[in-house]
Amino acid sequence: MAKQSKDPAQSTDNRHEKARDLGEAALGKLAEGREAEADQLIEEAKKLDESALKEIVADLEEDAGSNPDAAKNSQG
């Protein structure tokens, strides 16, 4: 049986990482046109750590700023 950590910082880090993973998975679902599944993943991520989703949005905005045609190129 796995022993759970009593360190609240580690627990917070794990929640943040899991929320970020869920948010990134949601982006993949959106790219596939599976909006309902993406919405479900986003809601799960929000419950864990909403700041992780904000980080993903900031990363996307930063990436778009460095390559303004990225969205056009990805739509092929």
Side-chain angles (χ1 to χ4, degrees):
M1 189 161 117
K3 187 176 179 181
Q4 286 191 331
S5 173
K6 300 285 184 191
D7 182 2
Q10 185 176 13
S11 176
T12 300
D13 288 346
N14 289 342
R15 291 173 64 89
H16 184 84
E17 185 175 334
K18 177 68 174 170
R20 188 164 173 107
D21 289 345
L22 289 168
E24 290 174 356
L27 290 176
K29 296 294 183 189
L30 285 172
E32 297 169 1
R34 298 162 73 175
E35 290 183 33
E37 291 176 55
D39 288 345
Q40 194 172 26
L41 291 170
I42 291 168
E43 288 305 315
E44 287 181 49
K46 280 184 186 178
K47 290 176 188 174
L48 289 172
D49 186 350
E50 195 167 343
S51 70
L53 295 175
K54 292 177 183 178
E55 276 184 11
I56 292 171
V57 170
D59 289 348
L60 290 172
E61 289 173 346
E62 183 178 305
D63 290 347
S66 65
N67 184 2
D69 294 327
K72 292 178 191 172
N73 294 339
S74 69
Q75 292 176 2

